[in-house]
Structure formats: structure tokens, C-alpha cells
Amino acid sequence: MEAEHLKEKVAIVRYDGTFDSFAKALKLCNGLDGLKANDKVLLKPNILWGGTKPDPPYGRVTTSIIVGYVLQMLRDRGCGDITIGEGAIPNKELGSTTVQGFDWSGIGKVARRYGAKLIDFNSEPYERVELDGVRVRISKWALESDFLIDLPVLKAHRQTKISLGMKNLKGCLAVKSKQRFHRHDLNKMIALLNMKIRPSLTIIDGIYGLEKGPDFLGIPHRMDLIIAGKDVFSCDIVGAMVIGILPKEVEHLRHFASLTGRSVSLEGIEVLGEPIDHVAQKFEWNLSVEDLFHHAGVSGITIQEAGSSCCSGCFAILTALTAVFTKDNPDTDLDGVEICVGSQVRAKEDSNKVFLLGDCALSANKDVKEAIPIPGCPPQILNTVMAIVLKSLPRRKAAKTLMWRAAKNIGMKVGFYHEAFPVFGVCEPPEFDEMHF
């Protein structure tokens, strides 16, 4: 009996479209224990990108309806000092900022409704800390809050297998520190970060889940689940099992277990509400960008898996390139083109033409003769698209492609043209509901 009492409680509740199902999850896991009305409360959603409304947010970002429920709950408890913080992928060329991300996700509108402050973790102030000898900067907002509520999405991840509560805290870092995580052991660094930042409550937003995540190349699924608990490690173990990924195969969970002397299993966890096997689905976590080109009929191209060395900035450029190139040039044979990205990829000897996307790829392939460099950290999408189109397609086709792409971009900027990219998938109602954002 005493052992049962010591177990960490994790609730799984089916979301029925009401605040009541959300409240039930928090009640089951005693999620509000320790919360005081005068606490400095920080919410850390997963916004990922400062996109625009036409981009599909489903499964990619925390729903604003869940954030609204949290804010309503906090106001009902008398909390007045509430902040929402995030550090979205910054990209001036594509217009991505954290502020834009708050608006795109709908979280900004909900925050204003409840009077919560919005903070960009990509800006000061930071505290400098060392994680196993690696110097990083962590937002002081995350370190100095009294009650931190971690609000990840139910995602699989191409580099870390899952992107749940522990991975979501990487968004509290300065941009350069996020990049540093990828240059070292990403999974180990995530575990060490969670020794510094300890959420008081984790709520995994599973209204939508994302297979092959974490971004627009992933496949969203309607799940209608809320997973909540006070211990982020336990929530991530349960969340991993809900999307069919074995916790013991998730490296950052194993690292954290080693650091804390815990088990990467349900040992020590009490699952309340829905049993895991009643709600679990099997998600694939690995994504092959090369396969996405092949599915569009683009042959003769090689894109090796970048491993954990490729940071979000470069992968955002690769994502944009994939969307544009496969839309503009379906059923095209590139005859031995290779695109290298990240510091772990070495160009294959039999590739006829090698593109080195980003500074890390350039550094890793200095000895590759006649490789075409696309420098930057990250490189510009315009330079990337132009280089690959001009150097991989016949001259006439390349000119036509760039002309049409320029015309489309002008149309989108002035607002009379909207373009859908098939590679991002089709998210149609009623399964995918805009009212959640």
C-alpha cells in the first residue's frame, strides 16, 4: 500500500470537447497540488514555428484551446502572475518569430483574453549554466518561476523518437545554445537540462498526435487525449507508450533514468483514467526526406539521414526546400544529386553532384571536390532553392521553375494567392478543427 502511495500519478483522459474532461485529468493526477495564488506561473507550450494561418498547425503546436483551459483554471485558483514563454525557430527570410508564432497558433489571442504575459525565450534575460562541461544559456523565466506548466504536443520525433515534456524544455534555451545541443550528444543534453528545469505540472496535448514529427513533414492524427502528471519523466514514459514507442529505446529517457536512479518503465508509475492499451496507436518516428522526394516522382536524389546533428534551423530550410521542389518539379529525374545536411553526413562517392546545405555540412565535407556549397547557419531558403534548381535541372526548365516560383511568391505576399503543398498533407474537417487554434 505504501509503495502504491509513492508512485507517480499520470492521468490519461479522453478529450470530449469540454473543459470538464481537462479538469478531470488534473484532478486524477493531483496536478494543482502545491499551486498558490501568489505564485509566478509560467506556461511553456510547443509553438515550434512562427508560421502563417494557411500552414497546418495540427499536431505541430500546442492547441490554444488547451492553453485557454489552463489559463481558466489558473484564474479560477486566483493566480494573477501568469506568463507564457516560448522560443520558436527564428527565420527572418520566412517571417518566423516567436511573436508571429503566438499569433499563428492562436495562443496570443487566448493570452490576451486572460491577461497573461507573452515572453520570447529567444531574447534576454538568460542564466549561464554548465551541463556536463557544455556552457548554455537558459531563460531566467524558466528557472525563476514558482510553478512551471509544461505543455508539449503528443509527437514522435525523427531525431529523439519522442518530443514530449522533457524535449519541450529545450525551447527555454537561447538559439545558439539549442544549436550547441546538436553539436554534442542531443539526448544526453536533454536529460541534463531536465536536471536544471523541473516542471511542476506536465500536460501533454494529445487532441492531435504527430507521427514522423516534429514539424510540417510529419503526419497528424486526431487522438482526443489529455495526458497529465506532476512528474515530467513519468508523463513522457506514458506518452511514448501511447504512440507505440518503447520508453527504453528513447535515449534521453535512458540518460535521465541513469542520472536519477529511476526505471525507464511503468515501475513507479500509477496510470489513472484510460488504460494505455485502450488508447495506444503505433506511430513511426523516423522520417526519410529522400522518400518524400521519391513519392513525388523525383528520382535520382539522395538525402542521407542527418542524425541528431542537424538543428531545427537547417531542417526548417530542408523542409521548405522539400515542399517547394516537389511541388514545382514532380516526376523529375535528377541523375545522381545528393543533398548533405548536418555534421554527421559524409557525401557518397558515387553521387554525381553534391550540395552541402549549411555550415555544418560544409565543415564535414571539406574534402569533397566540386561540391556546391550553400553556406549559412542556417542558409537562406532563396539561396538554397536557386542553387539546387539552377545546378540540378536543365537550363530551360530551371528558368521556368524559378519564374513561376517568383510569381507565386509575389501573389502570396500581396494576399491574392494561396498555395497548398501536398508534402505537408491535407488536414480537412471535421477530423481537423480550426476551432482548436
Side-chain angles (χ1 to χ4, degrees):
M1 198 70 169
E2 185 177 352
E4 285 292 319
H5 177 72
L6 294 175
K7 287 188 173 184
E8 297 288 351
K9 295 181 178 181
V10 177
I12 304 175
V13 171
R14 291 189 187 273
Y15 175 64
D16 64 4
T18 69
F19 176 83
D20 290 344
S21 54
F22 169 82
K24 178 182 177 181
L26 296 194
K27 184 176 181 180
L28 284 172
C29 69
N30 301 324
L32 301 182
D33 282 4
L35 175 65
K36 300 184 290 292
N38 61 349
D39 278 347
K40 290 188 295 183
V41 182
L42 175 67
L43 279 60
K44 170 56 179 76
N46 179 202
I47 296 179
L48 177 76
W49 180 254
T52 56
K53 278 296 180 185
D55 296 322
Y58 306 102
R60 282 99 181 183
V61 304
T62 306
T63 59
S64 63
I65 197 165
I66 290 293
V67 174
Y69 289 156
V70 175
L71 294 174
Q72 179 182 335
M73 171 198 73
L74 293 172
R75 289 304 188 196
D76 290 345
R77 301 275 295 199
C79 298
D81 189 351
I82 306 170
T83 302
I84 303 174
E86 173 61 304
I89 300 171
N91 189 295
K92 290 182 180 179
E93 185 185 16
L94 297 177
S96 176
T97 66
T98 302
V99 173
Q100 180 68 25
F102 282 133
D103 287 340
W104 168 60
S105 65
I107 289 173
K109 182 178 181 180
V110 172
R112 290 186 286 273
R113 184 191 310 157
Y114 286 94
K117 297 185 291 290
L118 295 171
I119 296 296
D120 182 1
F121 288 157
N122 290 338
S123 302
E124 298 281 357
Y126 298 112
E127 183 173 318
R128 297 177 184 272
V129 302
E130 282 199 8
L131 303 177
D132 196 28
V134 180
R135 295 180 181 179
V136 298
R137 293 186 297 164
I138 304 174
S139 173
K140 286 189 175 182
W141 289 91
L143 296 172
E144 296 176 359
S145 63
D146 298 314
F147 200 92
L148 170 58
I149 302 177
D150 193 0
L151 292 166
V153 184
L154 188 60
K155 289 185 186 181
H157 193 286
R158 68 175 65 93
Q159 293 175 316
T160 57
K161 294 190 178 178
I162 61 171
S163 179
L164 303 174
M166 295 177 68
K167 173 72 167 56
N168 189 42
L169 297 180
K170 182 169 169 276
C172 300
L173 298 169
V175 173
K176 293 295 184 183
S177 296
K178 293 173 187 173
Q179 294 171 342
R180 194 162 292 147
F181 265 43
H182 288 269
R183 295 185 184 119
H184 294 81
D185 185 332
L186 174 61
N187 284 285
K188 181 181 179 180
M189 297 302 292
I190 291 169
L192 290 168
L193 179 63
N194 276 264
M195 300 295 289
K196 292 288 185 181
I197 306 176
R198 295 295 185 97
S200 303
L201 171 63
T202 297
I203 304 170
I204 300 175
D205 179 355
I207 295 179
Y208 302 96
L210 192 66
E211 186 174 11
K212 299 183 179 182
D215 53 31
F216 299 103
L217 298 180
I219 305 168
H221 301 274
R222 184 70 179 264
M223 300 284 284
D224 281 326
L225 295 175
I226 297 169
I227 302 170
K230 294 192 66 62
D231 178 62
V232 63
F233 178 69
S234 299
C235 287
D236 279 13
I237 287 175
V238 172
M241 296 178 72
V242 166
I243 57 176
I245 295 173
L246 293 176
K248 67 181 181 180
E249 295 181 357
V250 178
E251 288 186 34
H252 61 267
L253 295 183
R254 292 207 310 268
H255 278 299
F256 189 81
S258 178
L259 290 168
T260 57
R262 298 180 64 177
S263 171
V264 191
S265 70
L266 289 177
E267 180 184 341
I269 302 173
E270 181 182 5
V271 178
L272 303 165
E274 297 286 338
I276 293 175
D277 59 359
H278 286 195
V279 299
Q281 296 187 29
K282 177 63 178 175
F283 278 17
E284 297 293 333
W285 62 270
N286 196 24
L287 170 74
S288 169
V289 178
E290 181 180 311
D291 282 349
L292 295 176
F293 278 82
H294 293 165
H295 290 160
V298 180
S299 58
I301 184 168
T302 297
I303 304 175
Q304 298 182 57
E305 294 182 12
S308 62
S309 69
C310 181
C311 71
S312 301
C314 270
F315 219 102
I317 301 304
L318 185 58
T319 297
L321 169 68
T322 303
V324 169
F325 197 95
T326 57
K327 176 69 180 289
D328 293 348
N329 301 281
D331 304 318
T332 300
D333 182 11
L334 297 181
D335 190 26
V337 163
E338 180 173 7
I339 301 172
C340 297
V341 61
S343 63
Q344 296 176 357
V345 172
R346 303 294 183 271
K348 294 186 175 181
E349 292 183 2
D350 59 351
S351 295
N352 294 331
K353 193 168 292 181
V354 175
F355 295 90
L356 303 177
L357 180 58
D359 292 345
C360 288
L362 267 70
S363 179
N365 291 274
K366 292 178 180 178
D367 58 337
V368 179
K369 295 179 181 179
E370 299 182 2
I372 301 165
I374 309 175
C377 185
Q380 292 188 346
I381 182 59
L382 179 60
N383 292 345
T384 302
V385 172
M386 286 191 66
I388 291 177
V389 167
L390 288 172
K391 299 289 186 178
S392 67
L393 297 177
R395 183 178 300 178
R396 183 173 295 181
K397 185 172 184 179
K400 184 178 179 180
T401 296
L402 292 176
M403 180 185 69
W404 277 109
R405 177 51 48 193
K408 290 176 180 179
N409 288 344
I410 292 171
M412 286 190 286
K413 284 183 179 180
V414 299
F416 68 79
Y417 174 74
H418 166 61
E419 185 173 19
F421 293 97
V423 73
F424 289 165
V426 178
C427 300
E428 296 182 339
E431 182 180 5
F432 298 96
D433 189 348
E434 291 182 356
M435 297 302 292
H436 292 138
F437 296 91

